[in-house]
Amino acid sequence: MSDRRFRFGIVGSPRSGAEWTKTVRQAADLGYTTVLMPDGLQLPSPFPSLAMAAAVADIRVGTFVAAAPLRTPRAAAWEAHTLTVLTDGRFDFGIGTGRPVAEQQTAELGLPWGSPRERRDQVRETLDHLVKLDGEQRTPIMLAAGGPRALALAAARADIVSLAKDALTPRAEVAQLVHDLRELAGPRADDIELAMNLFAAGTRELPPWTKQAAGVDPDVLEATDSLMMLRGTPQQMADELQRRRDEFGTSYITVNSTFLEDLAPAVELLHGK
């Protein structure tokens, strides 16, 4: 379905400067093309964290994803444009309406949470501001899409779409999501890069915080054909990623930084493919 070559990213959550520097350099050395940061008050701010990452390695950086309600649209666009300028165009701006935990964090900042529609409008307004700030140097946009309204927004505005479904979503439902996205995108469908995020890779035992992060018990994940998982030998993982690219069109694969070494052999096998 996709003739795009694979590229790989890691999703990190640094606890110190030394740890973050080590992770970023390791990712670059192992063939990953992108370092991504989640957004939330429980973590370091993503924008300075990504500026630091871009300074210590020749690698792309991106938010995964910025929660629109945590900033005013103009402020979020300012932060994104700044990273595009300072990284010489190595920044991908991932933005979304915010996970449920962001509602309390928004209140801590003294900002309104808003209805789902208002938060989607906030994403659109942020992107409009960013277009004006960027001028000729355009920042690539990543949007996550799961529901119909998010899908429509992604079809209209995204360069990269991360397929956002829960851990136990059947393959047929993901395939339908991709079909609907392409239908909505129309003539720009082939310009959209499809991404898929992995919770775990390789053969290592799942960590105890799996249920909190994935919403499913580790044994349930292991027993199902969950697309959040990529298990097996390096060759088996590479074969499965090629199957997913053929089936869904996903060529941009991201993984929790805990498993960056586990996925690295498959990254090497798929280099340039």
Side-chain angles (χ1 to χ4, degrees):
M1 184 181 221
S2 173
D3 58 0
R4 289 180 181 268
R5 293 184 179 184
F6 282 107
R7 67 171 177 138
F8 295 87
I10 66 155
V11 182
S13 51
R15 290 171 293 186
S16 69
E19 178 196 87
W20 186 226
T21 297
K22 179 181 177 182
T23 298
V24 171
R25 287 177 174 159
Q26 185 178 21
D29 290 344
L30 290 174
Y32 290 88
T33 58
T34 318
V35 169
L36 303 161
M37 265 285 291
D39 192 20
L41 300 187
Q42 77 280 13
L43 298 168
S45 173
F47 294 100
S49 300
L50 293 171
M52 178 180 177
V56 301
D58 183 14
I59 199 164
R60 290 193 70 80
V61 297
T63 44
F64 192 76
V65 296
L70 293 182
R71 300 163 189 85
T72 65
R74 180 63 176 82
W78 174 45
E79 297 279 15
H81 175 67
T82 298
L83 269 181
T84 291
V85 171
L86 295 184
T87 63
D88 293 323
R90 287 184 288 138
F91 173 64
D92 297 331
F93 185 35
I95 184 172
T97 56
R99 300 176 65 187
V101 68
E103 182 172 4
Q104 178 184 342
Q105 297 180 349
T106 301
E108 290 180 45
L109 294 172
L111 294 170
W113 175 242
S115 67
R117 179 176 180 176
E118 288 170 333
R119 297 198 303 277
R120 286 192 299 274
D121 287 344
Q122 192 170 7
V123 171
R124 291 188 185 93
E125 187 179 349
T126 301
L127 298 181
D128 289 343
H129 280 299
L130 181 57
V131 168
K132 293 176 183 176
L133 289 172
D134 276 349
E136 294 183 2
Q137 185 176 28
R138 188 174 177 280
T139 302
I141 304 302
M142 171 187 271
L143 296 177
R149 292 179 178 85
L151 202 64
L153 178 58
R157 302 296 298 263
D159 301 286
I160 308 159
V161 174
S162 181
L163 303 178
K165 302 298 285 186
D166 65 42
L168 302 183
T169 301
R171 285 177 179 261
E173 190 173 327
V174 174
Q176 184 63 49
L177 180 74
V178 172
H179 172 78
D180 293 345
L181 173 67
R182 294 182 64 83
E183 288 288 305
L184 287 165
R188 65 184 302 270
D190 290 339
D191 296 330
I192 297 175
E193 182 179 35
L194 294 180
M196 183 173 285
N197 186 50
L198 301 173
F199 172 73
T203 57
R204 184 153 51 99
E205 183 178 353
L206 295 178
W209 41 267
T210 294
K211 185 173 183 179
Q212 179 183 356
V216 181
D217 285 324
D219 58 342
V220 175
L221 274 180
E222 292 284 17
T224 62
D225 186 25
S226 173
L227 292 172
M228 288 183 68
M229 305 277 287
L230 188 68
R231 304 303 253 168
T233 65
Q235 188 61 58
Q236 287 170 331
M237 289 192 290
D239 290 345
E240 171 61 15
L241 287 177
Q242 291 187 89
R243 175 191 174 193
R244 294 184 189 185
R245 184 173 63 180
D246 292 341
E247 193 172 352
F248 310 124
T250 48
S251 58
Y252 182 20
I253 308 301
T254 59
V255 68
N256 185 305
S257 61
T258 304
F259 290 90
L260 75 89
E261 291 182 87
D262 303 81
L263 184 61
V267 172
E268 184 176 2
L269 285 173
L270 294 174
H271 179 72
K273 294 184 178 180

